[in-house]
């Protein structure tokens, strides 16, 4: 079996050696079209990070009436903590709120003194949500429910930007998938075409191999390998080029490069589109043996 | 019985390339099939190596039946066959050695076993000095001998030779025919398609005549003289 595979590999190399020029041109084409996708990915990754940081902080803030005692407030917090979609609740007493205010805005600490000793910041309950509940529909639903509860003065959540944020994150994901799909299809077609040409050029070899008893997979493997290698090297090349561009630009436009998982995904996309392409190319290229 | 054709017809569109063929070939036989161009000789061969299937009837080759053969069986069937063509069909980008080695390589033999067998066969066929040459550097006769070496390298039980001398000078043709007779003497069945059955000395082979898809059997030498 090992000799089998070696011989098959040898055939693949013969394949590539015979038309090194056109192989390199194909690689470049694949790399460049992949690069457009990579750049798009880098942009979406960075925008996505910002957006999801925003979304991470999506929660509900519940301001309580002054006449609510600490015990009542804690009871209320316990009640909310078992509601659907709530990850955790945290009770912030009036004193705590003032301490936070002083720490966060030291220059404006005088304001509190100015307002007099009878003024207190309201106590509040901070609700953080399960990731699934950080969408505008669910947050506002939950906000409505808690706002009707006894002792609640006011409910604040990201009413303003939340709907936009949710759909922006959604849109981003859809765009990436769409771009990946378009890229995979066009890459498959590029590879299919070169494989079809390769098969046509080696029609006699293919026929003779089949006539002298080569199994079907042995005849196909070199072409499949060519597509696979084109896809993998092409996408790896594009990542390299994009990485270089990214590091050149990183001083003027601060951003992150793609995380390892995404890089792997790009390579996987390249490999599968390459394999699919050679399969398409072979289907239309490899003739039944005739003599 | 190595090969049997049972009432085999092969139509292309409505044209019968072969019609109602009955034929059996025994191990070790030398069978000569002659007939004019377009008679159906190549079609008959193609049905034997199952590059094509009959429109009706049954072809059986070394236990493989045309009505039951699966794609995966084709390679094992073809390893039992050696095939030689009029136009040699050597791979131009490979040396003589690599051309002859191909059937062994695609069958998964180790490089050592391949070298051993190919070297001894090339020596036997007096092609050893040519083993690093490319096909275009060889004469027609040498190319056909390389093609025969390729057909024989994996010890087939049947050698199919489809007008192997069609592109060769008479004295070179004679050499090739002698080679086929030699191969037959070692026990390999040989089926030879040719325009000129007189190349084979009378009595050494069984003769069939194919005309417009029909098989005539047997045929007299007088018949040939009128061709
Ligand atoms: N693939 C094909 N498609 C259509 N007609 C074919 C095909 N192969 C052979 N034929 C026809 O079948 C007949 C027999 O051809 P062939 O077997 O090549 O004859 P021979 O080898 O005796 O010269 C011819 O008329 C030829 O035109
Ligand atoms: Mg013919």
């Amino acid at each position: 079996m090992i000799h089998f595979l070696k011989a098959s590999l040898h055939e693949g190399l013969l394949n590539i050696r015979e038309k090194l020029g056109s192989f390199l041109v194909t690689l470049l084409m694949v790399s460049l079209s992949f690069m457009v996708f990579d750049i798009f990915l880098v942009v979406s990754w960075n925008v996505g990070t910002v957006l999801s940081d925003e979304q991470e902080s999506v929660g509900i803030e519940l301001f309580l009436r002054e006449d609510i005692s600490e015990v009542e407030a804690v009871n209320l917090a316990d009640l909310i903590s078992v509601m659907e979609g709530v990850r955790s609740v945290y009770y912030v007493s009036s004193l705590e709120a003032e301490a936070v205010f002083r720490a966060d805005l030291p220059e404006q600490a005088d304001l509190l003194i100015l307002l007099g000793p009878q003024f207190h910041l309201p106590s509040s309950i901070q609700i953080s949500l399960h990731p699934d509940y950080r969408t505008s529909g669910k947050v506002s639903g939950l906000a409505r429910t808690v706002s009707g509860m006894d002792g609640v003065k006011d409910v604040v959540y990201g009413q303003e930007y939340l709907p936009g944020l949710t759909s922006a994150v959604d849109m981003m994901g859809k765009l990436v998938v769409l771009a990946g799909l378009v890229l995979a299809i066009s890459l498959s077609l590029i590879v299919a075409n070169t494989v079809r040409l390769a098969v046509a050029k080696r029609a006699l070899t293919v026929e003779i191999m089949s006539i002298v008893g080569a199994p079907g997979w042995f005849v196909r493997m070199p072409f499949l390998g060519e597509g696979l290698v084109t896809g993998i090297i092409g996408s790896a090349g594009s990542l390299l080029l994009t990485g270089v561009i990214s590091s050149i630009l990183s001083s003027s436009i601060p951003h992150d490069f793609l995380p390892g998982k995404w890089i792997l995904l790009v390579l996987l996309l390249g490999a599968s589109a390459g394999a699919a392409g050679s399969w398409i190319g072979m289907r239309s290229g490899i003739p039944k043996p005739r003599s | 019985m190595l090969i049997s054709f049972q009432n085999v017809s092969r139509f292309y569109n409505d044209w019968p390339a072969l019609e109602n063929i009955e034929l059996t070939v025994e191990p070790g036989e030398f069978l000569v099939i002659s007939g004019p161009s377009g008679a159906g000789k190549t079609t008959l061969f193609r049905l034997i190596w199952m590059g094509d299937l009959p429109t009706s009837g049954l072809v059986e080759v070394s236990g493989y039946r045309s009505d039951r053969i699966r794609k995966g069986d084709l390679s094992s069937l073809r390893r039992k066959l050696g095939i030689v063509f009029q136009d040699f069909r050597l791979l131009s980008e490979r040396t003589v050695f690599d051309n002859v080695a191909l059937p062994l390589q695609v069958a998964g033999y180790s490089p050592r076993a391949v070298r051993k067998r190919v070297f001894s066969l090339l020596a036997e066929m007096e092609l050893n000095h040519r083993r690093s040459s490319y096909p275009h550097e060889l004469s027609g006769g040498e190319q056909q001998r390389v093609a025969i070496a390729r057909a024989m390298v994996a010890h087939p039980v049947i050698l199919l030779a489809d007008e192997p001398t069609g592109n060769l000078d008479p004295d070179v043709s004679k050499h090739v025919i002698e080679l086929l007779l030699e191969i037959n003497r070692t026990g390999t069945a040989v089926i030879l398609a040719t325009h000129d059955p007189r190349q084979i000395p009378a009595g050494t082979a069984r003769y069939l005549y194919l005309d417009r898809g029909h098989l005539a059997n047997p045929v007299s030498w007088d018949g040939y003289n009128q061709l």
Side-chain angles (χ1 to χ4, degrees), chain A residues 3-4 11 207 210 213 291, chain B residues 46 78-79 89 94 106:
Chain A
H3 301 308
F4 236 156
E11 288 301 324
E207 188 189 352
S210 153
S291 109
Chain B
R46 203 152 57 213
R78 289 175 191 165
R79 280 177 206 165
R89 300 205 192 173
R94 289 169 210 237
V106 305

Side-chain angles (χ1 to χ4, degrees), chain A residues 1 3-4 6-7 10-11 14 17-18 202 204-216 218 220 288-291, chain B residues 10 12 42 46 49 51-52 71 74-75 78-79 83 85 89-91 93-94 102-103 105-111 150 162:
Chain A
M1 196 63 203
H3 301 308
F4 236 156
K6 263 194 193 155
H10 180 73
E11 288 301 324
L14 261 179
R17 203 181 62 192
E18 253 175 63
R202 289 167 62 80
L204 181 63
T205 308
V206 166
E207 188 189 352
I208 291 301
M209 283 196 172
S210 153
I211 283 175
V212 300
F218 187 97
R220 287 181 163 75
K288 285 190 160 181
R290 286 260 166 263
S291 109
Chain B
R10 179 63 173 100
Y12 291 113
T42 298
R46 203 152 57 213
W49 57 268
D52 200 355
K71 262 190 177 165
L74 288 175
S75 58
R78 289 175 191 165
R79 280 177 206 165
I83 310 180
F85 304 93
R89 300 205 192 173
L90 298 174
L91 301 179
E93 76 279 11
R94 289 169 210 237
L102 191 67
Q105 285 165 345
V106 305
Y109 284 85
S110 76
R150 178 177 70 188
D162 191 358

Side-chain angles (χ1 to χ4, degrees), chain A residues 290, chain B residues 12 15 17 35-44 46 162-163 210:
Chain A
R290 286 260 166 263
Chain B
Y12 291 113
W15 173 262
S37 252
K41 302 182 293 294
T42 298
T43 304
L44 187 98
R46 203 152 57 213
D162 191 358
E163 304 196 40
L210 197 58

Side-chain angles (χ1 to χ4, degrees), chain A residues 30-288:
Chain A
V30 170
S31 279
L32 289 181
S33 46
F34 245 104
M35 205 174 90
V36 174
F37 179 64
D38 293 347
I39 291 172
F40 176 70
L41 274 187
V42 171
V43 172
S44 359
W45 167 249
N46 281 280
V47 173
T49 318
V50 172
L51 287 184
S52 68
D53 280 354
E54 287 290 331
Q55 212 175 21
E56 185 75 15
S57 66
V58 167
I60 300 175
E61 203 167 0
L62 216 81
F63 293 101
L64 304 177
R65 286 204 315 265
E66 279 89 13
D67 59 338
I68 294 296
S69 73
E70 192 156 336
V71 178
E72 285 171 314
V74 169
N75 282 341
L76 190 60
D78 283 347
L79 205 64
I80 292 170
S81 71
V82 296
M83 288 172 75
E84 202 184 325
V86 174
R87 186 165 66 176
S88 62
V89 292
Y90 180 65
Y91 168 65
V92 183
S93 68
S94 181
L95 283 175
E96 230 173 308
E98 279 178 32
V100 169
F101 184 89
R102 279 182 220 280
D104 281 358
L105 307 162
E107 315 88 74
Q108 268 140 63
D110 292 348
L111 208 63
L112 288 177
I113 301 166
L114 216 72
L115 287 167
Q118 66 272 45
F119 177 83
H120 295 289
L121 284 176
S123 58
S124 64
I125 294 173
Q126 312 280 339
I127 305 173
S128 92
L129 304 170
H130 282 300
D132 291 350
Y133 280 78
R134 290 176 197 153
T135 62
S136 59
K138 286 178 173 163
V139 171
S140 55
L142 192 63
R144 245 192 327 276
T145 310
V146 293
S147 70
M149 294 174 94
D150 197 29
V152 175
K153 188 169 77 178
D154 204 2
V155 176
V156 173
Y157 62 98
Q159 286 111 324
E160 300 284 304
Y161 62 91
L162 196 54
L165 186 63
T166 308
S167 65
V169 171
D170 267 11
M171 182 64 96
M172 209 76 186
K174 278 180 192 151
L175 271 181
V176 168
V177 170
L178 189 74
L181 217 65
V182 168
L183 184 82
I185 290 171
S186 63
L187 175 61
S188 302
L189 293 182
I190 294 175
V191 172
N193 202 44
T194 55
V195 167
R196 192 160 32 229
L197 287 177
V199 171
K201 209 172 161 195
R202 289 167 62 80
L204 181 63
T205 308
V206 166
E207 188 189 352
I208 291 301
M209 283 196 172
S210 153
I211 283 175
V212 300
W217 66 263
F218 187 97
V219 176
R220 287 181 163 75
M221 261 261 280
F223 298 108
L224 199 69
E226 186 185 331
L228 214 64
V229 165
T230 307
I232 294 173
I233 296 187
S235 53
S238 76
L239 285 167
L240 204 74
L241 290 174
T242 312
V244 169
I245 294 176
S246 160
S247 68
I248 290 172
L249 290 183
S250 65
S251 53
S252 47
I253 311 169
H255 67 278
D256 295 328
F257 192 60
L258 297 176
K261 235 196 219 161
W262 286 39
I263 289 176
L264 217 66
L265 222 64
V266 169
L267 292 174
L268 213 68
L269 189 71
S272 42
S278 36
W279 188 72
I280 297 169
M282 282 190 295
R283 266 181 73 104
S284 50
I286 290 191
K288 285 190 160 181

Side-chain angles (χ1 to χ4, degrees), chain B residues 75-153:
Chain B
S75 58
S76 16
L77 164 66
R78 289 175 191 165
R79 280 177 206 165
K80 299 185 169 188
L81 309 176
I83 310 180
V84 176
F85 304 93
Q86 180 174 348
D87 54 359
F88 321 137
R89 300 205 192 173
L90 298 174
L91 301 179
S92 59
E93 76 279 11
R94 289 169 210 237
T95 61
V96 165
F97 179 93
D98 283 333
N99 267 283
V100 174
L102 191 67
L104 299 177
Q105 285 165 345
V106 305
Y109 284 85
S110 76
R112 247 184 76 177
V114 172
R115 255 195 316 273
K116 192 163 165 244
R117 169 65 181 150
V118 174
F119 278 146
S120 85
L121 184 61
L122 288 178
E124 218 175 284
M125 294 183 66
E126 288 161 31
L127 284 165
N128 222 344
H129 61 296
R130 287 304 211 174
R131 66 168 183 267
S132 305
S133 306
Y134 287 88
H136 67 90
E137 299 167 331
L138 307 179
S139 72
E142 284 174 321
Q143 288 188 46
Q144 194 57 297
R145 273 157 57 215
V146 172
I148 292 171
R150 178 177 70 188
M152 293 308 298
V153 75

